[in-house]
Amino acid sequence: MQNVVIIGSGPAGLTAAIYTARANLSPLLIEGWQSGGQLTTTTDVENYPGFPKGIMGPELMKEMRAQAERFGSEFVTGDVTAVDFTQPPFSITIDGERAIHTKTVILATGASAIQMGLPNEKRLTGHGVSTCATCDGFFFRGKELLVVGGGDSAIEEATFLTKFATNVSIVHRRDKLRASKIMQQRAMNNEKIAFVWNTVVEDILGSEVVTGVRLKNIVTGKTMERSCAGVFVAIGHRPNTTLFTGQLDMDEKGYIRTHQGTATSVPGVFAAGDVQDSHYRQAITAAGTGCMAAIDVERFLEANEK
Ligand code: NAP
């Protein structure tokens, strides 16, 4: 029987592990096969306090994991395939085989990249279509690339890709960016970046690998084909909560509803990070709620043991 099981290994999960380990709760953290969360697919993190020169996302996660390990957190690698939160002790099944029982749970499963939903997008994923510039940018040295989206992710991906590409076009469905002003300015000042406004990707072209896209201007209705070697989709994220559907209260987009800090609708089950935050979605806010969840767990166990 565990005191606390943490599901997820991004900033929320690892911060919860650091705090619960230091509170002598011997946390068990289940990290998926792609450990480290979304920051492992990002480049320079310039806004995480304590790193005035910035730090690479994967490096930051490695350091957080080492810190959690230092205080005695236990790690299990595998995918959680089932959970039962009907009554304590809660049960968590890993890879369909191993069931773990625990007094409390911290859910920190984060969110995943949304895709456009085009048939050729799926077929050509890994062959020119990507949602991760850090992972795949290197393969596009000297090529023309396209990034879809108008938020911080799109700008960040495009800026990173200019290290390799000859030019990067950002295709956005409106004529205004959602990205923060500083990121916008950086992209506007980058001579390798161009914007294609009021435009959506109608299709991705190529039989074996991406050779281009068909774009549609949604104001004029005109379509045009454009050649490119890669399409990076950066149109937002969806919370990873399918597994918990029906067991916890969630909002209409599937984010877990929390109250009084990180408590969910089931006493003893807590949620931290992007899985319960559709608004701020920053590494530092995820880490902050991970800390809150750890303290909430500690107080919950204390109250119940009394
Ligand atoms: P986001 O802010 O939700 O932006 C998604 C963008 O994709 C929007 O511009 C949206 O268009 C567009 N979009 C959505 N669905 C689309 C579709 N089906 N087809 C075409 N375009 C579509 O997502 P994000 O950029 O991933 O950022 C998420 C959060 O992480 C934000 O809070 C952001 O500040 C943060 N973040 C921060 C950093 C950083 O500070 N370094 C880096 C990355 C992300 P509309 O604008 O028309 O809605």
Side-chain angles (χ1 to χ4, degrees):
M1 171 72 75
Q2 301 287 327
N3 288 315
V4 55
V5 170
I6 300 162
I7 310 179
S9 55
L14 290 172
T15 306
I18 293 167
Y19 273 76
T20 48
R22 284 174 53 81
N24 282 338
L25 293 176
S26 313
L28 176 77
L29 187 146
I30 305 170
E31 49 184 359
W33 290 106
Q34 203 194 339
S35 157
Q38 289 179 68
L39 277 190
T40 55
T41 65
T42 194
T43 50
D44 273 326
V45 180
E46 293 182 332
N47 49 12
Y48 200 89
F51 300 94
K53 294 183 184 136
I55 181 166
M56 295 300 277
E59 184 63 20
L60 179 60
M61 297 323 298
K62 210 174 100 197
E63 296 291 347
M64 278 194 206
R65 194 183 186 284
Q67 197 173 351
E69 229 170 357
R70 180 182 152 210
F71 295 111
S73 307
E74 196 189 330
F75 290 85
V76 169
T77 305
D79 287 327
V80 173
T81 45
V83 294
D84 185 352
F85 297 152
T86 6
Q87 58 182 35
F90 306 118
S91 136
I92 295 166
T93 309
I94 302 172
D95 291 331
E97 291 168 353
R98 183 176 163 194
I100 292 171
H101 299 281
T102 177
K103 295 178 197 166
T104 64
V105 185
I106 296 175
L107 301 174
T109 47
S112 301
I114 299 176
Q115 300 208 309
M116 292 182 289
L118 306 170
N120 285 331
E121 179 185 14
K122 202 166 183 184
R123 183 175 61 81
L124 290 167
T125 291
H127 303 280
V129 175
S130 171
T131 53
C132 175
T134 337
C135 320
D136 303 325
F138 183 79
F139 304 115
F140 295 94
R141 197 174 286 279
K143 309 276 189 203
E144 288 182 46
L145 299 177
L146 205 103
V147 172
V148 187
D152 280 329
S153 297
I155 302 296
E156 192 176 66
E157 301 265 291
T159 309
F160 178 73
L161 289 170
T162 58
K163 290 185 188 182
F164 311 100
T166 49
N167 60 70
V168 180
S169 299
I170 298 179
V171 175
H172 183 35
R173 62 183 179 183
R174 291 189 296 139
D175 61 357
K176 276 194 186 63
L177 294 171
R178 185 178 290 277
S180 54
K181 292 283 176 285
I182 186 168
M183 303 279 273
Q184 290 196 24
Q185 204 52 54
R186 199 170 294 172
M188 304 277 180
N189 292 343
N190 189 326
E191 57 187 24
K192 280 191 175 179
I193 295 181
F195 289 90
V196 186
W197 303 108
N198 297 314
T199 299
V200 292
V201 177
E202 236 186 18
D203 200 3
I204 300 175
L205 314 172
S207 53
E208 302 291 315
V209 293
V210 171
T211 54
V213 285
R214 192 168 66 244
L215 301 175
K216 182 178 182 183
N217 183 304
I218 53 174
V219 176
T220 62
K222 276 193 183 151
T223 58
M224 62 173 278
E225 285 191 7
R226 190 178 179 125
S227 63
C228 65
V231 178
F232 286 79
V233 184
I235 59 172
H237 295 83
R238 156 173 317 124
N240 298 321
T241 52
T242 315
L243 211 55
F244 319 127
T245 308
Q247 302 203 46
L248 297 172
D249 192 15
M250 295 179 192
D251 72 9
E252 57 294 339
K253 286 187 175 165
Y255 286 89
I256 297 172
R257 284 205 168 99
T258 49
H259 60 275
Q260 289 175 321
T262 61
T264 68
S265 52
V266 174
V269 178
F270 300 85
D274 286 13
V275 76
Q276 53 84 57
D277 171 20
S278 61
H279 186 66
Y280 299 103
R281 297 184 291 189
Q282 302 298 303
I284 188 67
T285 50
T289 54
C291 160
M292 287 162 62
I295 293 172
D296 290 343
V297 158
E298 206 183 328
R299 295 196 177 143
F300 177 87
L301 287 171
E302 250 172 45
N304 278 275
E305 265 146 37
K306 266 183 203 153

